[in-house]
Amino acid sequence: MSIQEIQEEIIDEFSMFDDWMQRYEYMIELGKSLPLIDPQYKIDENSIKGCQSKVWVHAALTADKLVFTADSDAIITKGIIAILVRVFSGQHPKDIIEADTVFIDEIGLKEHLSPTRANGLVSMIKQLKMYAIAYQTQVSQ
């Protein structure tokens, strides 16, 4: 499934909820289903700078695609990174680099986060794209 198709799926899922309390609950559920990062990768160099909460992301290149695992010590933040992992994991680095994240505006996520969480969201996206840039050179075109 392409990044765009996954984003459309997420937009559809979030449109089923009437209010933001339900959407937050859904994000928390998504966070609980996040494939957990191996404890050996919960180190400072894998933490995302700019997040108020602790967030760790690990990337591995498998068959020319990036696979992300992540974790956070905060339930909402864990839900946010779970959504981003869902969008970007299993994709080619080039596609991740070129992807826009329109779904964030479509579901109204950024406007319903505190300023520090919104900054953290931007930092998470930036970090996932930085992994893609780093791995791009190792991918056969």
Side-chain angles (χ1 to χ4, degrees):
M1 197 180 291
S2 74
I3 290 174
Q4 187 58 44
E5 290 168 332
I6 296 167
Q7 288 189 59
E8 288 167 11
E9 202 176 75
I10 292 168
I11 292 166
D12 288 344
E13 289 167 14
F14 274 79
S15 71
M16 293 187 293
F17 301 107
D18 296 327
D19 62 42
W20 262 93
M21 283 314 295
Q22 292 174 323
R23 290 177 181 192
Y24 284 131
E25 287 172 22
Y26 183 61
M27 282 197 311
I28 291 167
E29 287 306 310
L30 291 173
K32 289 177 183 174
S33 66
L34 178 67
L36 284 189
I37 192 169
D38 189 306
Q40 71 176 341
Y41 299 123
K42 285 175 96 171
I43 55 176
D44 199 44
E45 70 185 48
N46 289 335
S47 70
I48 296 181
K49 313 298 180 252
C51 286
Q52 185 178 15
S53 311
K54 279 275 190 200
V55 181
W56 301 271
V57 175
H58 178 259
L61 193 62
T62 307
D64 287 349
K65 293 184 178 181
L66 272 179
V67 176
F68 293 103
T69 54
D71 196 7
S72 176
D73 63 355
I75 56 174
I76 295 288
T77 307
K78 192 171 181 172
I80 294 168
I81 194 66
I83 293 169
L84 295 175
V85 165
R86 179 173 160 193
V87 170
F88 293 125
S89 194
Q91 303 293 333
H92 287 278
K94 182 177 183 284
D95 295 334
I96 296 169
I97 295 164
E98 294 173 354
D100 58 13
T101 49
V102 293
F103 77 99
I104 291 169
D105 292 328
E106 292 282 331
I107 65 175
L109 181 58
K110 213 172 194 175
E111 65 199 48
H112 286 90
L113 294 175
S114 67
T116 52
R117 280 223 172 95
N119 288 340
L121 171 64
V122 170
S123 296
M124 288 181 224
I125 293 167
K126 192 183 299 181
Q127 184 62 46
L128 295 174
K129 288 189 177 238
M130 290 303 290
Y131 275 121
I133 290 166
Y135 280 101
Q136 175 65 29
T137 58
Q138 299 177 31
V139 174
S140 56
Q141 299 299 321

